[in-house]
């Protein structure tokens, strides 16, 4: 059975595109377009990986990382955030906030298939060889 990834992204189109990348990397994707739906999915089944967009609608997902962790303990978390040219300070703040939240992976948008592959390989490796406290920045 393929490992599963829950993609939490408020744009359904982007979530589907990202899901196809994970599927190509061997993970079975599930989609949630907001925090309440994501928490319902987390209560419904166990996921191998959570991939969360930092900015969804009017909220910053990093403010709710503890909710996701409680709903899916020991599940690696990757956060996605757009790095905009001309706004390096905003990007820096987002990345630093993600580090402080102790997420497992940071995926700056736009990312490539190789980035997804690397995250998937690391999730499988960690599952088979646990070594907490390691953050992979792409």
């Amino acid at each position: 059975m393929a490992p599963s990834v829950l993609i939490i992204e408020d744009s359904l189109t982007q979530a589907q595109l990202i899901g196809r990348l994970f599927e190509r990397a061997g993970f079975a994707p599930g989609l949630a377009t907001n925090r309440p739906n994501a928490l319902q999915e987390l209560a419904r089944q166990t996921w191998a990986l959570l991939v969360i967009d930092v900015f969804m609608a009017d909220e910053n997902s990093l403010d709710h990382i503890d909710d996701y962790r409680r709903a899916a303990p020991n599940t690696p978390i990757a956060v996605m955030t757009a790095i905009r040219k001309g706004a390096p300070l905003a990007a820096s703040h987002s990345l630093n906030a993600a580090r402080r939240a102790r997420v497992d992976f940071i995926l700056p948008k736009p990312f490539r298939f190789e980035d997804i592959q690397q995250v998937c390989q690391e999730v499988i490796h960690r599952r088979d060889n646990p070594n907490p406290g390691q953050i992979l920045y792409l």
Side-chain angles (χ1 to χ4, degrees):
M1 179 179 226
S4 58
V5 55
L6 180 60
I7 300 162
I8 306 165
E9 160 68 65
D10 57 344
S11 164
L12 183 57
T13 301
Q14 280 193 39
Q16 290 170 335
L17 291 171
I18 294 164
R20 282 190 218 118
L21 291 173
F22 276 97
E23 197 167 35
R24 189 172 150 206
F27 275 54
L31 310 176
T33 56
N34 57 49
R35 185 167 38 93
N37 290 58
L39 294 174
Q40 285 177 340
E41 282 298 312
L42 294 173
R44 191 178 67 78
Q45 78 176 65
T46 301
W47 299 86
L49 174 65
L50 302 181
V51 177
I52 306 169
D53 189 20
V54 172
F55 298 107
M56 294 194 347
D58 293 334
E59 71 179 34
N60 183 325
S61 296
L62 295 174
D63 294 337
H64 304 282
I65 287 293
D66 288 338
D67 295 337
Y68 292 116
R69 283 203 175 104
R70 277 190 294 278
N74 303 314
T75 303
I77 296 175
V79 295
M80 308 175 286
T81 187
I83 305 297
R84 293 183 183 90
K85 289 183 181 178
L89 193 55
S92 176
H93 288 309
S94 292
L95 293 175
N96 286 332
R99 287 182 190 107
R100 284 191 302 275
R102 295 184 340 268
V103 299
D104 299 281
F105 307 99
I106 298 174
L107 286 165
K109 292 179 185 177
F111 43 81
R112 303 171 320 212
F113 173 67
E114 291 79 14
D115 300 329
I116 299 295
Q117 250 183 331
Q118 188 175 3
V119 168
C120 291
Q121 290 169 356
E122 181 66 23
V123 167
I124 297 300
H125 176 76
R126 287 183 187 189
R127 181 190 66 191
D128 297 340
N129 306 289
N131 183 15
Q134 182 178 6
I135 298 175
L136 180 64
Y137 300 100
L138 301 175

